[in-house]
């Protein structure tokens, strides 16, 4: 795939309005995350993020961070809605803008005993609680000397969200990530950019490659599913007619990963994935250069939100 063939558009105020109008025409949320965010906080929640919590940088911890952002892990209704662990725990923190219909009573809360996601823990009572910051001590021991955290994560996936039984390596990766979380020194939110998502995609693909090299195809498949989910996040932000070719390129990139994802031949898997990785820097550069025309741009998103209210 030759990303360099895609032409470059010049940014202007007119382009901002054109993008906003084109996006508003679609009969769906501008960005899917709006389905579980507080409307007054849309702009801030969709264009900024809390600083990333510091983590260890071994392979399993990085894989855990990738899985933490993957709806595939939760399965069931949560996966269909596009929810991941990170939807409630933004970059491992809490999420003061989270407001899911019939699950929250105020922004930043969630009913973890609702039967909406799973019948296992439904208690027939609407009792939302504040979403905790995972960088702070919680009710579950995070000591590596016991498996309390792994058991908690397993029960959350299988019982609270009706997901499939996670593998031992999946549980290990998620537990390592959560144990590794350290509160950042700076609390102020920072900009969310296309490059953030592209960097996450590159990280997910590399983690999938390492998992495959370590003969863990199941984990590798999950990590590529997470990478494809991130590509989907970029796709929805690159909205409007003027970014049509870019969206097609994103879809093509995701389809290639999809073919690689379920390739049972380890050598072929690794060979094709390496080819994909070699083309990715050009794709990433494109995202950096075009994000000012997309919904990553606060001005364009603000105009689109205003247009959608009319």
């Amino acid at each position: 795939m030759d990303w360099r063939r895609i032409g470059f558009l010049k940014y202007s105020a007119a382009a901002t309005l054109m993008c906003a109008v084109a996006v508003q025409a679609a009969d769906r949320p501008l960005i899917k995350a709006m389905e579980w965010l507080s409307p007054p906080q849309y702009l801030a929640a969709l264009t900024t993020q809390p600083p990333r919590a510091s983590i260890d940088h071994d392979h399993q911890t990085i894989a855990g961070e990738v899985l933490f952002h993957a709806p595939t892990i939760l399965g069931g209704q949560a996966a269909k809605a596009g929810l991941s662990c990170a939807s409630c725990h933004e970059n491992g923190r809490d999420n003061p803008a989270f407001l899911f219909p019939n699950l929250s009573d105020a922004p930043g809360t969630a009913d973890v005993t609702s039967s909406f996601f799973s019948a296992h823990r439904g208690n027939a009572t609407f009792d939302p609680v504040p979403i905790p910051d995972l960088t702070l001590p919680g009710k579950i021991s995070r000591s590596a000397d016991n498996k309390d955290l792994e058991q908690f994560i397993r029960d959350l996936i299988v019982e609270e969200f009706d997901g499939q039984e996670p593998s031992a390596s999946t549980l290990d990766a998620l537990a390592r990530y959560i144990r590794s979380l350290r509160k950042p020194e700076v609390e102020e939110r920072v900009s969310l950019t296309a490059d953030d998502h592209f960097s996450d995609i590159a990280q997910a693909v590399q983690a999938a490659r390492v998992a495959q090299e370590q003969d863990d195809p199941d984990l590798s498949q999950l990590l590529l599913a997470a990478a494809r989910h991130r590509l989907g996040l970029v796709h929805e932000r690159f909205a409007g007619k003027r970014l049509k070719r870019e969206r097609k390129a994103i879809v093509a990139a995701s389809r290639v990963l999809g073919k690689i994802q379920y390739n049972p031949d380890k050598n072929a898997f690794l060979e094709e994935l390496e080819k994909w990785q070699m083309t990715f820097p050009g794709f990433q550069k494109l995202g950096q250069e075009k994000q000012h025309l997309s919904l990553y741009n606060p001005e364009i998103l603000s105009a689109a939100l205003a247009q959608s209210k009319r």
Side-chain angles (χ1 to χ4, degrees):
M1 191 176 303
D2 187 358
W3 311 110
R4 293 171 297 181
R5 290 185 179 179
I6 301 174
F8 296 97
L9 300 176
K10 294 182 179 180
Y11 176 63
S12 66
T16 302
L17 182 59
M18 286 176 64
C19 289
V21 172
V23 172
Q24 190 273 333
D27 186 22
R28 56 182 173 76
L30 300 176
I31 297 173
K32 190 169 182 60
M34 291 169 62
E35 295 179 351
W36 61 79
L37 293 173
S38 169
Q41 300 181 63
Y42 278 162
L43 187 61
L46 294 171
T47 58
T48 66
Q49 60 183 333
R52 298 219 172 188
S54 300
I55 64 168
D56 297 332
H57 289 283
D58 60 279
H59 164 66
Q60 279 296 90
T61 303
I62 291 172
E65 181 178 27
V66 172
L67 296 175
F68 193 81
H69 289 79
T72 312
I73 289 296
L74 299 181
Q77 293 296 329
K80 290 178 182 178
L83 286 169
S84 67
C85 301
S87 299
C88 287
H89 303 284
E90 198 176 13
N91 285 343
R93 310 296 301 280
D94 55 7
N95 186 350
F98 186 86
L99 188 68
F100 198 95
N102 301 316
L103 199 69
S104 307
D105 62 353
T109 66
D111 181 359
V112 297
T113 56
S114 169
S115 59
F116 176 77
F117 291 120
S118 172
H120 293 288
R121 293 191 179 182
N123 64 0
T125 302
F126 183 58
D127 48 5
V129 295
I131 296 169
D133 181 340
L134 298 184
T135 64
L136 302 176
K139 62 180 181 179
I140 304 300
S141 169
R142 299 189 191 179
S143 171
D145 295 334
N146 59 52
K147 296 295 182 181
D148 291 355
L149 182 57
E150 283 85 348
Q151 186 64 46
F152 177 80
I153 295 170
R154 180 267 169 201
D155 292 347
L156 183 146
I157 292 172
V158 176
E159 296 181 5
E160 187 174 327
F161 288 100
D162 207 22
Q164 294 185 355
E165 193 74 43
S167 68
S169 58
T170 294
L171 280 180
D172 177 63
L174 286 166
R176 284 183 185 231
Y177 170 66
I178 293 171
R179 286 193 179 103
S180 177
L181 287 170
R182 294 182 292 274
K183 192 173 182 179
E185 295 180 3
V186 179
E187 288 290 329
E188 255 181 70
R189 293 177 71 89
V190 297
S191 295
L192 174 65
T193 67
D195 198 43
D196 290 323
H197 282 156
F198 282 121
S199 295
D200 291 334
I201 292 163
Q203 177 176 271
V205 171
Q206 178 59 24
R209 179 175 178 172
V210 174
Q212 188 68 244
E213 290 171 344
Q214 295 179 348
D215 296 316
D216 194 344
D218 291 340
L219 178 59
S220 187
Q221 287 180 7
L222 283 175
L223 292 166
L224 284 191
R228 298 183 70 197
H229 170 67
R230 291 285 185 151
L231 280 167
L233 298 183
V234 178
H235 182 273
E236 69 177 353
R237 297 265 186 160
F238 274 51
K241 293 181 179 178
R242 298 190 69 178
L243 293 175
K244 183 177 180 180
R245 295 180 68 185
E246 286 71 24
R247 287 197 307 280
K248 285 185 176 179
I250 293 168
V251 171
S254 181
R255 285 176 176 167
V256 172
L257 280 186
K259 291 179 180 178
I260 298 170
Q261 184 178 354
Y262 297 106
N263 192 328
D265 185 319
K266 177 180 176 179
N267 291 330
F269 180 105
L270 292 172
E271 182 179 339
E272 292 302 314
L273 197 61
E274 182 178 9
K275 290 179 183 177
W276 192 96
Q277 288 179 296
M278 290 176 65
T279 69
F280 188 73
F283 190 31
Q284 187 169 10
K285 183 179 179 182
L286 172 68
Q288 293 170 332
E289 294 174 340
K290 290 298 185 70
Q291 66 178 326
H292 64 280
L293 293 170
S294 73
L295 294 179
Y296 287 102
N297 184 331
E299 292 184 7
I300 289 180
L301 179 58
S302 179
L305 289 171
Q307 184 73 21
S308 67
K309 292 177 182 178
R310 296 177 183 176

